[in-house]
């Protein structure tokens, strides 16, 4: 802890906007600020502001004056956060707090460290191996089904359904039974509400459905936790969390298990749906790369019906690089909010305590001074050689520092297992001249679902 943070108390309320006037930028229209412009075209709007004001600028989003910090140095300052200046609780809280209270990403500093440690048992090599068995089985079955219906396919809804079904088994266990539909529906309502424009849980709104969904999820987990604990064992993530303990050996409280499970399911769901959709879209648009990855899969020497092993996945470096490149182009978490709990400075500007700050992977991932020809899909940007000379916070789809994505290996495992089955069985292409229409915020998603053609190879 720095001297400064040891001395000054944390501030969690916004400063007077006048205290930010020295920072270049503009607040846009009264009340709505720049919110609508940013929502309509987040990347274009940020690039415009960066060109006009530079890598630190003031804006008004969702009714509050905030400061955007751009580039790898900004990412490092905010994510690495050695001085514990930036609160994730008070950054993400306004967006996710109502539906996913006390999820790991919504905890700060020492309390966060303790919970992260307790949860990390569920992501160690042993449990990961059992999740792979479920993921592999589920993906293989779904790809077989797609193979039996060649022709047009909408990638986004197909991925959403697949990721949801996989979460039900690898997170909750294959024997979840008839409640699966109910739990899944409640969960879908919560995820949709997390980014709903109307933030009050009024009846018939997304937020209203989300809050009702949370009630059902809480009831389900509350009933299941004692059952799972009494039964012991279990290879799924929920069973792992039911057995997880704090440093003193005490089990996590029932409420903690509920909050962590809800958050984990949310964290995994839209991010994987988004990144796998981008991945398939890029394979369809780049047939040469599609073939190179297919050759890599062929080189594994496994039959179409063989299960995938960790060893197989480790021998897919090109697929991993292609997935990384997909997340460079369309990072599933395009911006990350924090609140500065103490005064700090960046590029010569002093920013007061309480300021809402945001960093922007979407912008950083397209900076031409870092990424030549930034819109081109080129997985070779991620060879060891090419990565070595790049700032370590130039590519941050999983964040970094204390809050770095805990499910990163899970995400690679799912993506590579998917790549293996998909490429071994299917060829994917686009109609000539077709370009999907992407909405980039809050999570990149093709508005039209992303139309492709699939056929058996
Ligand atoms: C491609 C897929 C994924 C992407 C791009 C992604 C991205 C991220 C990012 C950017 C953060 C940090 C946000 C911040 O610091 O503000 C994060 C945190 C987190 N992610 Fe992921 N995620 C993915 C998949 C997953 C999966 C599959 C899981 C669980 C199985 C997961 C669990 C978590 C958790 C628990 C945190 C909070 C970590 C902490 O606060 O210590 N994520 N993720």
């Amino acid at each position: 802890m720095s001297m400064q943070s040891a001395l000054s108390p944390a501030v969690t309320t916004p400063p007077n906007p006048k205290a930010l006037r020295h920072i270049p930028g503009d607040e846009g229209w009264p009340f709505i600020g720049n919110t609508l412009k940013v929502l309509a075209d987040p990347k274009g709007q940020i690039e415009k502001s960066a060109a006009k004001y530079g890598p630190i600028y003031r804006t008004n989003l969702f009714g509050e004056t905030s400061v955007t910090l751009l580039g790898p140095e900004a990412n490092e300052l905010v994510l690495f956060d050695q001085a514990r200046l930036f609160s994730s609780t008070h950054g993400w809280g306004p967006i996710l707090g109502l539906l996913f209270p006390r999820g790991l990403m919504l905890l700060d500093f020492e309390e966060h460290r303790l919970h992260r440690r307790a949860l990390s048992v569920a992501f160690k090599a042993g449990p990961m191996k059992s999740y792979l068995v479920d993921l592999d089985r589920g993906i293989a079955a779904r790809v077989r089904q797609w193979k039996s219906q060649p022709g047009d396919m909408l990638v986004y809804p197909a991925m959403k359904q697949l990721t949801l079904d996989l979460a039900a088994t690898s997170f909750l266990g294959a024997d979840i039974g008839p409640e699966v539909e109910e739990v899944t529906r409640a969960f879908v309502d919560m995820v949709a509400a997390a980014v709903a424009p109307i933030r009050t849980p009024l009846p018939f709104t997304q937020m209203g459905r989300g809050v009702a969904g949370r009630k059902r999820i809480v009831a389900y987990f509350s009933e299941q936790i004692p059952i799972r604990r009494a039964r012991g064992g279990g290879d799924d993530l929920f069973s792992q969390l039911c057995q997880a303990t704090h440093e003193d050996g005490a089990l996590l409280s029932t409420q903690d298990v509920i909050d962590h499970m809800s958050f984990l399911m949310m964290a995994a769901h839209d991010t994987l749906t988004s990144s796998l959709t981008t991945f398939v879209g890029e394979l369809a648009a780049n047939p040469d790369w599609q073939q190179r990855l297919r050759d890599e899969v062929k080189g594994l020497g496994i039959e179409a019906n063989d299960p995938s092993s960790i060893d197989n996945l480790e021998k897919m470096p090109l697929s991993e690089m292609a997935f990384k490149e997909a997340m460079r182009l369309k990072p599933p978490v395009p911006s990350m909010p924090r609140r500065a709990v103490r005064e700090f400075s960046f590029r010569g500007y002093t920013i007061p305590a309480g300021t809402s700050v945001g960093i922007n992977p979407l912008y950083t991932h397209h900076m031409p001074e870092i990424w030549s020809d930034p819109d081109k899909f080129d997985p070779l940007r991620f060879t060891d050689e090419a990565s070595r000379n790049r700032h370590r916070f130039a590519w941050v789809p999983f964040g970094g520092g204390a809050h770095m994505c805990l499910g990163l290996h899970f995400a690679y495992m799912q993506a590579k297992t998917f790549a293996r089955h998909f490429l071994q069985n299917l060829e994917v292409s686009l109609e000539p001249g077709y370009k999907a229409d992407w909405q980039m915020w809050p999570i990149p998603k093709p508005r039209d679902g992303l139309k492709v053609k699939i056929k058996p190879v």
Side-chain angles (χ1 to χ4, degrees):
M1 194 185 279
S2 74
M3 279 302 284
Q4 192 196 16
S5 56
L7 294 176
S8 53
V11 176
T12 55
T13 47
N16 186 324
K18 282 188 194 145
L20 296 169
R21 291 265 163 82
H22 61 294
I23 297 165
D26 69 84
E27 263 110 327
W29 295 89
F31 305 112
I32 56 163
N34 290 315
T35 312
L36 297 182
K37 278 198 263 179
V38 171
L39 289 185
D41 177 17
K43 182 163 170 280
Q45 193 56 33
I46 288 160
E47 283 170 351
K48 249 190 229 159
S49 301
K52 197 161 163 194
Y53 303 121
I56 160 168
Y57 66 86
R58 166 173 54 88
T59 184
N60 184 297
L61 296 173
F62 304 105
E64 187 181 340
T65 300
S66 61
V67 173
T68 303
L69 309 173
L70 297 175
E73 294 77 15
N75 298 344
E76 179 165 18
L77 173 78
V78 173
L79 295 175
F80 197 49
D81 193 21
Q82 266 182 311
R84 296 192 167 186
L85 295 170
F86 300 103
S87 162
S88 189
T89 307
H90 296 282
W92 281 110
I95 306 168
L96 298 176
L98 192 58
L99 294 158
F100 301 97
R102 294 187 53 79
L104 189 59
M105 194 171 75
L106 284 94
L107 301 180
D108 272 340
F109 311 130
E110 188 54 15
E111 186 183 33
H112 167 259
R113 192 186 68 79
L114 293 173
H115 279 260
R116 183 158 170 126
R117 218 171 147 156
L119 295 200
S120 58
V121 291
F123 293 90
K124 291 211 174 354
M128 290 286 280
K129 254 192 196 157
S130 17
Y131 309 149
L132 176 59
V133 175
D134 287 327
L135 292 178
D136 191 64
R137 203 180 291 139
I139 292 171
R142 188 60 48 89
V143 167
R144 266 198 304 276
Q145 187 190 331
W146 293 346
K147 198 175 180 176
S148 68
Q149 302 158 338
D152 294 336
M153 171 167 146
L154 287 179
V155 182
Y156 185 79
M159 282 303 174
K160 204 165 171 68
Q161 193 57 50
L162 174 62
T163 305
L164 207 53
D165 294 344
L166 293 175
T169 48
S170 58
F171 281 41
L172 300 176
D175 55 349
I176 162 170
E179 295 108 317
V180 70
E181 290 278 330
E182 161 94 14
V183 172
T184 311
R185 208 167 339 107
F187 173 70
V188 168
D189 287 344
M190 282 166 75
V191 172
V195 294
I198 300 172
R199 308 303 300 165
T200 316
L202 301 170
F204 310 114
T205 59
Q206 256 179 352
M207 192 50 115
R209 281 193 295 276
V211 168
R214 175 164 169 88
K215 266 203 196 130
R216 294 202 298 280
I217 291 269
V218 168
Y220 170 76
F221 284 134
S222 308
E223 184 196 294
Q224 284 291 316
I225 291 167
I227 299 175
R228 301 255 176 155
R229 282 187 168 155
R231 198 196 306 160
D235 288 336
D236 55 279
L237 197 133
F238 181 34
S239 300
Q240 293 288 328
L241 285 202
C242 286
Q243 309 303 332
T245 56
H246 286 296
E247 276 166 326
D248 61 2
L251 288 168
L252 297 182
S253 72
T254 303
Q255 192 60 48
D256 281 342
V257 176
I258 295 172
D259 290 337
H260 288 314
M261 271 311 292
S262 313
F263 179 81
L264 279 166
M265 289 176 69
M266 189 275 295
H269 177 60
D270 270 357
T271 50
L272 273 165
T273 304
S274 174
S275 53
L276 288 173
T277 301
T278 308
F279 181 67
V280 173
E282 292 300 339
L283 294 183
N286 296 277
D288 48 336
W289 268 105
Q290 186 180 152
Q291 192 50 46
R292 274 178 90 165
L293 300 196
R294 187 170 293 112
D295 292 343
E296 177 173 82
V297 172
K298 273 190 200 150
L300 298 174
I302 47 179
E303 297 295 325
N305 289 329
D306 288 349
S308 313
S309 65
I310 299 273
D311 185 50
N312 295 145
L313 303 186
E314 277 167 2
K315 293 187 182 129
M316 296 174 64
L318 288 179
S319 304
E320 183 167 320
M321 283 167 14
F323 183 57
K324 286 180 167 171
E325 177 67 342
M327 290 189 291
R328 179 187 70 80
L329 288 167
K330 298 197 172 67
V333 185
S335 58
M336 292 175 221
R338 295 287 192 271
R339 192 173 294 279
V341 292
R342 294 182 186 82
E343 180 184 285
F344 73 102
S345 54
F346 181 67
R347 299 210 179 234
Y349 291 97
T350 301
I351 294 121
T355 303
S356 158
V357 300
I359 55 161
N360 204 282
L362 179 62
Y363 176 88
T364 315
H365 288 185
H366 289 83
M367 285 171 73
E369 51 276 49
I370 303 176
W371 312 97
S372 59
D373 202 354
D375 294 329
K376 183 176 169 204
F377 177 76
D378 179 9
L380 295 179
R381 299 180 201 269
F382 291 96
T383 59
D384 288 346
E385 172 99 17
S387 308
R388 203 169 298 132
N389 299 322
R390 208 176 289 134
H391 194 294
R392 67 191 177 108
F393 285 83
W395 181 78
V396 284
F398 294 110
H403 287 282
M404 160 98 88
C405 180
L406 188 59
L408 178 155
H409 296 298
F410 190 103
Y412 280 124
M413 195 164 84
Q414 180 161 332
K416 285 157 92 177
T417 307
F418 174 79
R420 180 247 149 153
H421 287 290
F422 188 79
L423 291 160
Q424 202 169 9
N425 288 284
L426 292 164
E427 202 179 287
V428 61
S429 60
L430 300 176
E431 283 289 342
Y434 169 76
K435 244 182 136 113
D437 172 24
W438 283 82
Q439 169 190 314
M440 292 303 281
W441 197 89
I443 291 183
K445 122 184 198 181
R447 288 193 179 88
D448 61 353
L450 207 164
K451 292 178 212 151
V452 296
K453 286 197 179 301
I454 51 168
K455 65 173 195 194
V457 283

